[in-house]
Amino acid sequence: MSHVGLIFSRELKAYLRSPLGYAAAAGVLLIDGIWFMARALGGTEEKRLSATVLSEFFNGASGTTAILAIALAMRLVAAEEDAGTLVLLKTAPVSDWEVVLGKFLGVMAVILAVTGLTAYMPALILVNGKVSYQHVLVGYAGVMLLGGAVAAIGLFASALAKSQVVAAILGAVLVGAMYLWWLVAKIADPPVRDVLEELAIHHLRMRDFMTGVLRLENVVYYLAVAFFFLLASVKTLEARRWR
Amino acid sequence: MGEYAPARIPVIEIVELSKYYGEARAVGPLSFTIEKGEIVGLLGLNGAGKTTTLRMLASDLLPTSGRMVVDGVDLAAEPGLVRARIGYLPDRPPLYGEMTVREFLEFAARLRDVAASDVPARVSEVLGLTSLVERADDRIDTLSHGFKQRVGIAQAIVHKPSLLLLDEPISGLDPVQIVEMRELIRSLRGVQTIVISSHILSEISETCDRLLVLRDGSLVAQGSESELREHMVTHDLAVVVRLAADETEAELVELVRGLDGVTRVARGAADEPGADAVKLAVSATADVRAEVCRALCAKGYAVVGLERGARELESVFLELAGRGKREREEAAS
């Protein structure tokens, strides 16, 4: 596991030493702030329940975190391939699982840090309104689980594509399709409708977290999506050794 | 009791190694061994399969078939163990620009399982060996190409590998950097077993103990510089004769052509001053210098020059490496 720690630490330093990490963090905080003011608080003419405001905040934060995860993950393998540094990891006595896990945890650390910086908004609701700590924690757990699933999809896209731009587009298309399945579900008949609704990455799954409801099936869903795409990333890296 | 001869220890054994992309053969089947402490040059024109071969040796690329054994460990059975025994510098040094030289070498050492307690000492040692001490705390992306190449070599030797693979380490360097790089590689003689690839013979003929010549992915010759020259030795002669007034060139050619073993006689380019000097280019199946000399002297010819056609190693290499290309061109025409 020491290799995972080593790769994790290098990834984290790479984000801290490049403008990408700071630019992405600034963008997320700006959009979350605007969303919070303009959408979650709902302007001045309409009074809202604190719990509704908090749910709306998590709705916005889940979207920006998904975009952040794609933006951060697009470089993980594609940039190394482009710079010719991937060979360093491929020819070292390190397994592909260790490479993928180290990189994934590096991205997750940045997502966690950026998400942590948004905590002043729920804190304002806690101080000025009536919401439970549990609602805040469950909401953040949902944001992080979604971020993890999307980061794993982004990592897979980065392992598959030869450039960061293609990786970002591929990742966005995959995540976008999984977001929009619930729209397809609307026009489908059971059992296809049920399957698509259950598989949609945001629609039903995130709604529970946003409203402070913790369901094991939702946690398992996000962990399963993350595991599936991390496994796909490992297999993609293995396949790269043949060409 | 026979004389004691030190055992030759193969560091790497390659058996029938080949790489196919679909139906197209890129390399192989290759079979060779490299012994401990040897510096071996992998020579071939661009596209001959040098990089593909090195990538397979570095376990960056999986072979389609064949075996590779490093220090007695089979790559297929223990890929991790084999990778820990190999240092590899690809044609583009794999460097993280945002790290300092020292940080990067520490990272590379720990990635290759050097014990954490040994890392600082080992990094200091390779910084000294590659003359990077003064640049140790500089960010890698601020270094010149020559220094980056040094860092590339440093990362490849930081874990004391059994085998060091260098893919065109001299390409892109200026003349001063080339001399420094040669000295650096020479300084590793005796410390490392090294395979260096190049498409320029003069770059590596001085540095290497043995050369492997690749053409179209196959090994066409191997041996030391002198063995390769011997491999391609010919019995061509250049004979220079000064003709007397009563002697003709036709008679001279006729006489030489009649000797045993001579297959062809042609008028060579005259580089001897004077209109009476004739240079003959003689091709033969054996060394006929003595016979030619005796026959000409017996007939009273003034032989002023007789030498075996000299073959520079460069022309041997071109002959070996370029033959396939020429054959293809001839077949196409």
Side-chain angles (χ1 to χ4, degrees), chain A residues 3 6-7 10 13-14 17 80-85 87-94 240-243, chain B residues 19 55 58-63 80 83-84 88 90 92 94-96 98-99 103-104 107 110-111 113 155:
Chain A
H3 291 142
L6 198 62
I7 294 166
R10 197 209 71 76
K13 279 182 195 160
R17 289 177 184 181
E80 292 228 34
E81 177 79 5
D82 194 40
T85 51
V87 65
L88 196 70
L89 302 175
K90 283 166 76 186
T91 57
V94 180
R240 272 173 178 260
R241 291 186 189 276
W242 288 103
R243 58 188 163 94
Chain B
K19 181 71 190 173
R55 284 186 65 201
S59 80
D60 177 29
L61 187 67
L62 288 169
R83 285 184 209 149
Y88 177 43
R92 265 167 83 199
L95 309 173
Y96 292 116
E98 78 279 358
M99 285 178 149
E103 278 176 338
F104 175 69
F107 172 76
R110 292 189 56 199
L111 205 61
D113 293 336
Q155 65 79 25

Side-chain angles (χ1 to χ4, degrees), chain B residues 26-301:
Chain B
V27 164
L30 291 179
S31 295
F32 57 87
T33 58
I34 296 171
E35 283 156 19
K36 193 171 171 62
E38 261 193 310
I39 301 186
V40 174
L42 198 60
L43 204 58
L45 300 176
N46 286 334
K50 303 185 297 292
T51 295
T52 305
T53 304
L54 282 187
R55 284 186 65 201
M56 285 195 287
L57 300 188
S59 80
D60 177 29
L61 187 67
L62 288 169
T64 308
S65 62
R67 279 179 69 222
M68 178 178 139
V69 179
V70 177
D71 277 349
V73 183
D74 196 314
L75 172 68
E78 296 279 359
L81 271 182
V82 170
R83 285 184 209 149
R85 287 168 154 82
I86 288 175
Y88 177 43
L89 172 66
D91 48 357
R92 265 167 83 199
L95 309 173
Y96 292 116
E98 78 279 358
M99 285 178 149
T100 67
V101 174
R102 191 186 303 278
E103 278 176 338
F104 175 69
L105 294 179
E106 285 172 355
F107 172 76
R110 292 189 56 199
L111 205 61
R112 270 76 166 268
D113 293 336
V114 176
S117 55
D118 297 341
V119 168
R122 190 63 203 139
V123 167
S124 296
E125 197 180 327
V126 292
L127 283 172
L129 210 58
T130 50
S131 306
L132 282 165
V133 176
E134 286 175 14
R135 312 305 295 268
D137 296 311
D138 290 1
R139 265 177 70 123
I140 289 172
D141 53 12
T142 64
L143 299 179
S144 68
H145 180 60
F147 275 111
K148 282 182 180 164
Q149 204 75 346
R150 281 168 179 273
V151 182
I153 289 192
Q155 65 79 25
I157 59 173
V158 73
H159 56 302
K160 290 191 177 169
S162 302
L163 177 68
L164 176 60
L165 306 167
L166 306 174
D167 194 358
E168 310 226 0
I170 295 170
S171 70
L173 299 182
D174 67 32
V176 175
Q177 290 168 337
I178 287 176
V179 172
E180 288 174 350
M181 184 57 71
R182 275 193 194 137
E183 281 169 6
L184 171 58
I185 294 169
R186 276 199 204 108
S187 73
L188 298 174
R189 186 184 288 278
V191 183
Q192 299 283 167
T193 306
I194 306 176
V195 179
I196 311 173
S197 80
S198 180
H199 61 280
I200 303 170
L201 176 68
S202 57
E203 275 185 357
I204 57 170
S205 62
E206 290 173 30
T207 323
C208 296
D209 304 316
R210 192 152 62 98
L211 298 170
L212 305 175
V213 184
L214 279 182
R215 188 184 67 216
D216 295 335
S218 301
L219 200 59
V220 288
Q222 59 174 311
S224 66
E225 184 177 336
S226 56
E227 284 169 347
L228 278 187
R229 201 175 273 143
E230 195 64 29
H231 178 81
M232 291 300 289
V233 75
T234 65
H235 298 291
D236 293 355
L237 290 183
V239 186
V240 184
V241 175
R242 282 197 184 279
L243 294 177
D246 60 338
E247 293 168 345
T248 65
E249 188 182 327
E251 287 171 353
L252 173 70
V253 169
E254 201 54 41
L255 173 64
V256 177
R257 192 174 284 149
L259 296 173
D260 279 350
V262 173
T263 54
R264 185 171 158 268
V265 181
R267 178 80 190 258
D271 48 6
E272 181 76 15
D276 57 345
V278 174
K279 185 174 183 179
L280 298 181
V282 179
S283 300
T285 53
D287 186 358
V288 292
R289 281 174 297 177
E291 288 77 3
V292 168
C293 194
R294 252 196 302 271
L296 292 179
C297 291
K299 292 279 182 187
Y301 284 103

Side-chain angles (χ1 to χ4, degrees), chain A residues 28-210:
Chain A
V28 166
L29 291 174
L30 180 69
I31 294 169
D32 276 354
I34 293 171
W35 178 276
F36 184 67
M37 285 297 294
R39 171 96 186 170
L41 291 176
T44 49
E45 66 276 5
E46 178 197 358
K47 296 232 183 269
R48 285 182 158 190
L49 292 173
S50 307
T52 313
V53 175
L54 190 59
S55 297
E56 264 310 308
F57 162 74
F58 283 126
N59 191 16
S62 62
T64 50
T65 303
I67 295 168
L68 174 73
I70 290 284
L72 292 176
M74 69 181 184
R75 54 167 285 285
L76 284 172
V77 180
E80 292 228 34
E81 177 79 5
D82 194 40
T85 51
L86 194 61
V87 65
L88 196 70
L89 302 175
K90 283 166 76 186
T91 57
V94 180
S95 73
D96 293 327
W97 259 116
E98 288 175 314
V99 172
V100 164
L101 268 184
K103 286 177 171 292
F104 176 71
L105 292 176
V107 174
M108 289 311 293
V110 178
I111 294 174
L112 183 66
V114 175
T115 307
L117 290 174
T118 64
Y120 72 93
M121 289 175 270
L124 282 173
I125 307 171
L126 267 174
V127 172
N128 297 309
K130 270 190 180 172
V131 287
S132 67
Y133 284 104
Q134 189 202 356
H135 187 170
V136 176
L137 290 177
V138 170
Y140 269 128
V143 169
M144 285 308 297
L145 282 166
L146 174 75
V150 174
I153 296 170
L155 175 51
F156 167 66
S158 187
L160 209 57
K162 289 213 165 196
S163 79
Q164 293 190 60
V165 177
V166 177
I169 293 170
L170 185 62
V173 168
L174 279 172
V175 175
M178 290 177 79
Y179 250 95
L180 298 175
W181 271 339
W182 69 275
L183 286 174
V184 182
K186 273 183 163 179
I187 55 166
D189 296 320
V192 175
R193 184 179 65 195
D194 301 335
V195 172
L196 288 175
E197 276 196 334
E198 295 294 327
L199 283 178
I201 203 166
H202 193 276
H203 179 56
L204 291 179
R205 304 289 174 192
M206 201 59 210
R207 190 186 292 164
D208 285 340
F209 284 108
M210 278 156 45

